[in-house]
Amino acid sequence: MKFKEMIVDLTPLLDVILILLFMVLATQSQSTTETITALEEEVSQLAQTQMPQTKSEQTWYQTYQQSIGKVNIVFPSSLDDDPMYLVLEDGTEVQKPETQDLYSWLSSQIETIEQEVIIVSFTYNNEEIFLRDYRNILSAITQIDQNSDSTVVYQEQLIELSNENE
């Protein structure tokens, strides 16, 4: 038996495989675009549902906002240059006197707020504050919450300062 030499040309098969691969990629791209569009529509619908729509909802939302007091404690990046200060809801800044301790200063400022619920935000740069200062502020806020007739809600806001050395 003699075997004939058979040459198989695989170029057309390779072309078919590449065409199929291209079709799969095009289909995935289209489905991804459709998914992104659907998610954007859902986000816009959720944003609309979060805003008060009816007059009663708007009144309730306004009353709710007015029943909450807001205070922001700002710890400066350098205590050598700036003292710690408090930003009240109306935007006024009250600096902490060097002679007064933290608890008495904070409690005297928070007692002036008439709302039943007070949100105390603490804004600081994580790289600039010492652990003892952080603990002192948390301790003072906890004592104020325990000794006050109002409900004190605590939240933190980290600030990132760009390095001037870079």
Side-chain angles (χ1 to χ4, degrees):
M1 282 175 107
K2 280 190 170 180
F3 287 106
K4 284 189 177 179
E5 199 172 304
M6 213 160 63
I7 298 176
V8 177
D9 189 14
L10 296 176
T11 305
L13 181 62
L14 184 61
D15 290 345
V16 169
I17 290 174
L18 288 175
I19 290 171
L20 289 174
L21 183 62
F22 177 73
M23 290 174 57
V24 167
L25 289 174
T27 305
Q28 281 184 336
S29 173
Q30 183 180 6
S31 67
T32 303
T33 306
E34 291 172 356
T35 305
I36 289 173
T37 306
L39 288 174
E40 287 174 348
E41 288 175 8
E42 287 182 31
V43 167
S44 66
Q45 288 176 353
L46 286 173
Q48 289 176 355
T49 59
Q50 288 181 350
M51 297 303 293
Q53 301 295 324
T54 64
K55 183 71 173 166
S56 62
E57 286 177 344
Q58 290 174 352
T59 304
W60 177 85
Y61 183 74
Q62 189 175 24
T63 305
Y64 174 74
Q65 288 292 75
Q66 291 173 351
S67 67
I68 295 177
K70 297 177 185 103
V71 173
N72 188 12
I73 304 168
V74 180
F75 192 86
S77 59
S78 172
L79 283 175
D80 298 335
D81 300 334
D82 301 321
M84 185 182 336
Y85 62 94
L86 195 71
V87 180
L88 300 175
E89 192 170 9
D90 60 359
T92 58
E93 294 181 2
V94 180
Q95 292 187 350
K96 178 189 172 297
E98 291 183 22
T99 58
Q100 194 172 12
D101 71 323
L102 181 66
Y103 172 75
S104 61
W105 173 66
L106 278 177
S107 62
S108 67
Q109 295 299 321
I110 290 177
E111 284 176 2
T112 62
I113 300 173
E114 298 173 358
Q115 285 85 0
E116 292 180 18
V117 177
I118 302 169
I119 298 176
V120 177
S121 299
F122 178 40
T123 305
Y124 64 97
N125 183 354
N126 197 25
E127 296 174 359
E128 298 291 332
I129 190 170
F130 292 115
L131 181 61
R132 67 160 195 239
D133 294 330
Y134 178 79
R135 286 184 177 166
N136 286 341
I137 292 172
L138 286 181
S139 173
I141 293 171
T142 304
Q143 288 176 1
I144 290 169
D145 183 31
Q146 292 171 352
N147 298 334
S148 175
D149 295 333
S150 302
T151 302
V152 177
V153 178
Y154 172 75
Q155 70 179 13
E156 292 183 8
Q157 297 176 343
L158 292 175
I159 54 173
E160 297 293 327
L161 297 177
S162 61
N163 291 340
E164 295 173 6
N165 298 344
E166 293 179 2

